[in-house]
C-alpha cells in the first residue's frame, strides 16, 4: 500500500504547478508550488465537476454540505487520471482491510 504521486500543470493564465499525493488510507494532499499552498482532503470530501475542457476539483467542508474549503481546476485528462488513482487507492485499501 503505497502513496501515488503526480504532477499537474493547472489550466489558466498563471500556469500553476500542482504536486498531488494520493494516500490509500483515504487522503489527498495537493501542493501548489508557486503559491506555497498545501491543501488536504479526505476522499469523501471531494467532488469533480466537469465544464468544457476543464474539471473543477472541489473539497467540501463535510460530505453533503455546500461549504467549500478549497477548489482547483484541472485539465479533463488530469482529472480523469486523478479520479482513477483515487478509485484504485480505495479498492486497494478495501482489499487490505478485508484480508486483515
Amino acid at each position: 500500500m503505497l502513496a501515488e504521486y503526480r504532477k499537474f500543470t493547472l489550466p489558466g493564465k498563471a500556469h500553476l504547478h500542482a504536486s498531488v499525493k494520493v494516500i490509500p488510507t483515504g487522503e489527498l494532499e495537493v501542493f501548489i508550488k508557486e503559491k506555497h499552498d498545501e491543501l488536504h482532503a479526505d476522499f469523501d470530501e471531494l467532488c469533480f465537476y466537469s465544464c468544457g475542457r476543464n474539471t473543477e476539483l472541489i473539497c467540501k467542508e463535510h460530505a453533503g454540505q455546500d461549504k467549500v474549503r478549497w477548489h482547483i481546476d484541472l485539465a479533463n485528462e488530469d482529472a480523469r487520471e486523478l479520479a482513477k488513482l483515487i478509485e484504485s487507492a480505495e479498492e486497494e485499501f478495501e482489499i487490505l482491510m478485508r484480508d486483515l
Side-chain angles (χ1 to χ4, degrees):
M1 189 165 82
L2 300 172
E4 291 279 347
Y5 296 86
R6 294 293 186 276
K7 293 187 183 224
F8 300 120
T9 299
L10 304 181
K13 295 178 183 176
H15 298 290
L16 300 175
H17 297 89
S19 297
V20 178
K21 180 179 178 183
V22 178
I23 305 166
T25 55
E27 298 173 74
L28 180 77
E29 295 178 359
V30 179
F31 179 71
I32 309 293
K33 180 180 175 182
E34 292 80 4
K35 292 185 173 185
H36 302 287
D37 282 346
E38 291 185 33
L39 311 172
H40 302 273
D42 292 331
F43 291 166
D44 63 350
E45 298 172 328
L46 298 172
C47 300
F48 290 89
Y49 293 102
S50 182
C51 182
R53 295 184 305 192
N54 297 334
T55 298
E56 186 175 19
L57 174 60
I58 297 175
C59 174
K60 295 191 176 185
E61 196 64 41
H62 295 285
Q65 291 189 0
D66 289 335
K67 188 173 179 185
V68 174
R69 234 178 26 202
W70 56 264
H71 66 93
I72 58 171
D73 287 327
L74 297 166
N76 286 339
E77 186 176 311
D78 294 340
R80 280 191 293 275
E81 180 179 357
L82 181 57
K84 286 179 185 177
L85 286 173
I86 290 170
E87 184 179 333
S88 293
E90 289 175 322
E91 289 173 5
E92 184 180 340
F93 187 71
E94 185 177 310
I95 290 168
L96 179 67
M97 291 295 107
R98 259 194 314 227
D99 291 346
L100 291 178

